[in-house]
Amino acid sequence: MNNGFVKISRKFFTHELWNLNRTFSQGEAWLDFIQLARYDLEPHTENIGGRDITWCRGQLVASNRYLM
């Protein structure tokens, strides 16, 4: 079973089971990165910490502190 894909609604990540207080596994963290990444086709620019940051589809803007 090494082909194909599984569609997961972004609503999945707001479900009470996903949001239980627990230590995330590496697989869960990877899924979290996927759902946090920008999915719109158009680039987005935002002023963060006094700098204009632009990110595109598939990219994630996050600080090390946030990721910890």
Side-chain angles (χ1 to χ4, degrees):
M1 199 152 139
N2 292 328
N3 55 3
F5 59 92
V6 176
K7 283 173 115 174
I8 298 176
S9 169
R10 289 182 183 274
K11 290 180 184 178
F12 171 84
F13 299 97
T14 60
H15 191 276
E16 62 186 54
L17 290 176
W18 182 259
N19 292 311
L20 291 174
N21 191 12
R22 68 187 187 289
T23 302
F24 279 79
S25 69
Q26 288 182 350
E28 289 170 313
W30 182 70
L31 281 175
D32 223 18
F33 282 144
I34 291 171
Q35 72 95 12
L36 288 170
R38 181 156 181 79
Y39 58 90
D40 290 334
L41 289 174
E42 296 297 319
H44 179 75
T45 302
E46 192 169 324
N47 188 292
I48 301 172
R51 297 183 342 186
D52 284 339
I53 306 293
T54 301
W55 66 100
C56 302
R57 187 177 208 170
Q59 294 182 316
L60 171 66
V61 176
S63 66
N64 287 338
R65 175 187 247 173
Y66 175 79
L67 295 175
M68 285 189 244

